[in-house]
């Protein structure tokens, strides 16, 4: 479905910088936002089975933004895809705005969780995948986007260690790696997931075709992680 604004303009990938530019007041988290832009676009444009008119559909995919600090790219993509009106964007962060500096699932259409505190999203995603399994809902996929620095949190390692042996094949994690983690991992980020029984791929986080191929790679019986490498945060 093509979404147009009040002037009849369709919103595509090329419009995202303009849409992000409507949001000011959180420039310190600009790198956190822009690091996720391409991942978010490919997911919402080509992968996720979600739509603005199916927000409560039990068969929808669930997308959880764990990297919720600096959500400008997320809001821009939601606006481009018709989940939120574009005219909400200039009020970002205002007292009476629905678009806060961290997303609020009760205020932002399409947001599955309130997020921003590091280390929460992946454990919630594991619980969501388990809940869908318990309900017999085998179609919906659970996607969670985390930052590499979140892997400094022990809660994520508990979730990684559980999900592999549990065979949560409907669980998909995207780690946006902008070299901001404090602790190195022998073999890289993907190796940590592989050691716990996950399917893992590492790709250029700005290459849309590489992202799409990695997102849609088969991984029967195992959860799947894509490590999307982007430019270091300090650059």
């Amino acid at each position: 479905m093509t979404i147009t604004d009040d002037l009849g303009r369709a919103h595509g990938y090329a419009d995202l910088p303009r849409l992000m530019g409507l949001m000011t007041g959180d420039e310190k988290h600009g790198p956190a936002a822009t690091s996720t832009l391409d991942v978010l676009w490919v997911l919402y444009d080509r992968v996720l089975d979600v739509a603005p008119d199916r927000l409560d559909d039990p068969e929808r995919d669930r997308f959880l933004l764990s990297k919720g600090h600096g959500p400008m790219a997320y809001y821009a993509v939601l606006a481009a895809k018709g989940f939120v009106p574009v005219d909400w964007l200039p009020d970002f962060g205002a007292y009476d705005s629905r678009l806060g500096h961290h997303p609020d699932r009760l205020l932002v259409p399409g947001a599955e969780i309130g997020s921003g505190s590091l280390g929460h999203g992946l454990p919630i995603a594991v619980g969501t995948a388990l809940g869908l399994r318990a309900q017999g809902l085998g179609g919906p996929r659970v996607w969670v986007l985390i930052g590499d620095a979140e892997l400094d949190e022990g809660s994520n390692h508990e979730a990684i260690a559980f999900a592999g042996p549990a065979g949560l094949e409907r669980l998909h994690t995207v780690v946006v790696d902008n070299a901001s983690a404090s602790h190195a991992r022998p073999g890289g980020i993907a190796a940590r997931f592989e050691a716990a029984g996950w399917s893992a791929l590492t790709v250029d986080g700005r290459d849309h075709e590489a992202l799409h191929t990695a997102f849609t790679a088969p991984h029967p019986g195992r959860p799947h992680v894509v490590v999307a490498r982007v430019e270091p945060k300090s650059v």
Side-chain angles (χ1 to χ4, degrees):
M1 180 173 61
T2 299
I3 303 300
T4 60
D5 62 17
D6 292 339
L7 298 178
R9 295 176 299 195
H11 295 127
Y13 175 76
D15 293 296
L16 296 181
R18 176 178 64 84
L19 296 176
M20 288 183 65
L22 297 175
M23 293 171 277
T24 60
D26 193 20
E27 283 73 17
K28 72 174 183 178
H29 283 130
T34 55
S35 68
T36 67
L37 188 63
D38 296 276
V39 164
L40 287 166
W41 179 255
V42 174
L43 283 172
Y44 273 90
D45 192 54
R46 302 173 61 181
V47 178
L48 293 174
D49 183 12
V50 294
D53 59 351
R54 295 176 50 227
L55 297 179
D56 297 319
D57 184 351
E59 294 293 337
R60 75 190 184 281
D61 285 347
R62 274 66 165 178
F63 174 76
L64 283 58
L65 180 71
S66 185
K67 190 178 169 69
H69 48 288
M72 294 82 80
Y74 182 51
Y75 293 154
V77 171
L78 288 179
K81 292 298 179 180
F83 288 85
V84 303
V86 172
D87 60 12
W88 286 9
L89 301 181
D91 292 331
F92 165 70
Y95 173 76
D96 57 351
S97 174
R98 296 178 69 172
L99 304 182
H101 289 248
H102 290 180
D104 185 329
R105 70 178 184 87
L106 299 179
L107 298 177
V108 182
E112 297 282 354
I113 60 171
S115 61
S117 297
L118 297 181
H120 288 182
L122 183 52
I124 294 173
V126 169
T128 302
L130 285 170
L132 292 171
R133 176 192 280 182
Q135 295 175 70
L137 294 172
R141 298 165 299 177
V142 179
W143 290 82
V144 57
L145 190 161
I146 70 176
D148 61 318
E150 291 191 73
L151 294 175
D152 291 342
E153 303 292 334
S155 55
N156 275 331
H157 292 277
E158 293 178 4
I160 293 167
F162 177 87
L168 296 180
E169 66 178 355
R170 307 307 288 174
L171 175 63
H172 305 74
T173 298
V174 184
V175 182
V176 173
D177 179 9
N178 64 356
S180 59
S182 299
H183 307 294
R185 291 166 188 80
I189 291 173
R192 171 65 185 89
F193 287 82
E194 288 174 327
W198 288 58
S199 165
L201 293 170
T202 300
V203 298
D204 180 347
R206 301 302 188 191
D207 185 329
H208 291 196
E209 291 305 319
L211 287 168
H212 181 257
T213 298
F215 291 160
T216 56
H219 50 94
R222 296 189 291 169
H224 184 52
V225 62
V226 175
V227 180
R229 288 179 171 166
V230 298
E231 58 279 358
K233 185 177 179 180
S234 58
V235 172

